[in-house]
Amino acid sequence: MDTVVYRSESPTGLAALECTASCIVAALSLSGSDPRYFLLGYWHIGYYDRMLMSVRNMKWIDLHFEYGIRFYLTSGSAEEVSSLLDEGGMAIVLCRASKLRFFPRTMLGFESSGFYHSILLHGRGDEEGENRYKIVDPVAGYAGEMTAAELSEASVRRNQLVYCKLTWDADYSRPSRRESLRKESAAILKGYRRDAGKAFELFCADVTASDGWEEERRRTWAEQNMITLSAMIRMRGLVWKSYLELGSYTAAEAAEGSRRAEAVKRSWMNVNLLLAKLGKRRPEGDSREGLLRKLEGVQLAELELLEYLEARGGADL
């Protein structure tokens, strides 16, 4: 049976382009785990194909500390995926969204830029006589079944499925809330200090270079980044919400964290407003300089929040 159970406003479908993270949240929810511990560590930034985004490469996602889940990218046949599901595992499969019968045509804009889509396989189908899989696509808001033939048709590799295996360790014991907060807050601050500078440098270089671009190229670049930054704003909010709910902060600490989180949101929204202006007309020197200043401000606002989270990580719980 095909049903639409994950609405677009649901936190399960996290944000645009966050299809893998959304599938992870769906898998955790289906297995009875708390997805907020995953979100504690989901604060990233990179500049990929001239787009600034929070998406993390699935090869670097670690779910073992928080959930005892072994998660790694591999490839194989539909029969191998079926065996994984029969043994109690799940699979996040890379697909071409345009080949999925249920995927909204209005949401295909990034496939032409080389972005693959992800869906979650979490069981075998109920019908006899046909190899079918139970699937969830949180971004499309879809839950139902697919046949092995449909899955093969949508695969990013001919005659093979490229997927992340999720298998649960039976003897796993999850860490304390204090340990999770301490580890994840330290990790996202360290990663941001290591990677953010390069992402901002590349983005700022394109802001400066956009003066010489043709109008269509500049408009498309600005519009794509407005979408990815809107997704980033949503993800930043979900990360802070997870810390707020799990951190047992005092009223004063929660208010201070919320103030810093709001500064991050407001800074990114200001960047998006200036991007909209830049995409509509040839950028003048003052407008480019204004955008570059806003980018300096947003990086500072993010660091201030991350440093606050790290300083409070696990304290007095």
Side-chain angles (χ1 to χ4, degrees):
M1 179 182 295
D2 296 342
T3 58
V4 178
V5 298
Y6 291 110
R7 303 296 180 185
S8 59
E9 65 270 23
S10 166
T12 305
L14 298 174
L17 296 176
E18 294 287 2
C19 50
T20 299
S22 296
C23 285
I24 290 172
V25 168
L28 295 172
S29 299
L30 287 167
S31 66
S33 299
D34 189 339
R36 293 177 298 178
Y37 289 97
F38 166 66
L39 292 172
L40 290 178
Y42 204 85
W43 193 290
H44 318 286
I45 190 165
Y47 196 53
Y48 308 110
D49 198 25
R50 289 200 153 91
M51 285 177 278
L52 201 61
M53 61 182 69
S54 63
V55 176
R56 189 171 194 186
N57 191 313
M58 61 171 56
K59 292 189 294 185
W60 309 120
I61 292 175
D62 178 15
L63 298 177
H64 196 267
F65 179 82
E66 296 294 355
Y67 300 103
I69 297 175
R70 301 195 179 277
F71 180 90
Y72 58 93
L73 185 64
T74 186
S75 61
S77 64
E79 289 74 19
E80 290 172 297
V81 172
S82 296
S83 296
L84 169 66
L85 299 176
D86 290 341
E87 293 166 2
M90 298 186 190
I92 297 176
V93 181
L94 287 181
C95 295
R96 291 172 292 172
S98 60
K99 297 295 183 178
L100 298 171
R101 55 181 162 77
F102 51 79
F103 198 87
R105 303 298 100 178
T106 56
M107 297 171 62
L108 290 173
F110 283 90
E111 185 170 82
S112 60
S113 299
F115 285 88
Y116 292 138
H117 186 55
S118 299
I119 60 174
L120 173 69
L121 276 60
H122 61 95
R124 299 290 293 276
D126 296 323
E127 294 186 20
E128 297 289 340
E130 189 175 22
N131 196 5
R132 301 174 68 89
Y133 305 100
K134 293 180 179 180
I135 77 146
V136 170
D137 186 336
V139 172
Y142 174 85
E145 294 187 2
M146 282 182 70
T147 67
E150 288 176 319
L151 192 61
S152 177
E153 173 66 17
S155 176
V156 300
R157 186 180 298 172
R158 179 183 290 273
N159 298 324
Q160 254 193 342
L161 300 178
V162 180
Y163 61 99
C164 280
K165 295 177 66 172
L166 290 81
T167 59
W168 279 255
D169 282 353
D171 58 352
Y172 168 77
S173 178
R174 74 151 287 106
S176 68
R177 198 152 47 101
R178 177 196 296 268
E179 290 171 322
S180 292
L181 288 160
R182 180 183 297 119
K183 176 184 180 296
E184 302 298 354
S185 60
I188 59 177
L189 176 59
K190 180 180 179 181
Y192 195 84
R193 285 173 170 165
R194 182 188 63 233
D195 301 329
K198 185 62 175 178
F200 277 99
E201 177 186 341
L202 292 171
F203 185 66
C204 289
D206 273 350
V207 170
T208 301
S210 65
D211 179 46
W213 293 353
E214 294 181 358
E215 181 179 348
E216 177 64 19
R217 178 186 178 188
R218 187 176 64 253
R219 183 185 61 79
T220 299
W221 171 80
E223 288 177 351
Q224 287 182 328
N225 275 281
M226 288 171 64
I227 293 172
T228 60
L229 294 187
S230 294
M232 186 184 297
I233 292 168
R234 174 165 169 78
M235 290 303 301
R236 297 314 201 219
L238 291 173
V239 173
W240 163 240
K241 184 172 184 287
S242 297
Y243 276 93
L244 185 61
E245 293 174 351
L246 295 173
S248 296
Y249 299 131
T250 67
E253 290 166 345
E256 176 61 18
S258 294
R259 183 190 68 78
R260 297 184 186 219
E262 181 61 27
V264 169
K265 176 182 177 180
R266 187 170 58 252
S267 296
W268 279 121
M269 290 177 69
N270 288 335
V271 168
N272 248 1
L273 287 173
L274 290 177
L275 268 178
K277 293 179 180 179
L278 187 149
K280 290 180 180 178
R281 60 177 181 268
R282 183 181 179 86
E284 300 174 353
D286 288 346
S287 64
R288 291 197 310 274
E289 290 301 317
L291 180 52
L292 293 173
R293 286 194 299 272
K294 291 296 184 184
L295 288 165
E296 289 179 2
V298 77
Q299 190 172 2
L300 178 61
E302 296 218 303
L303 273 172
E304 288 181 348
L305 175 59
L306 294 180
E307 287 169 351
Y308 183 76
L309 295 178
E310 195 272 340
R312 292 299 311 147
D316 302 325
L317 293 179

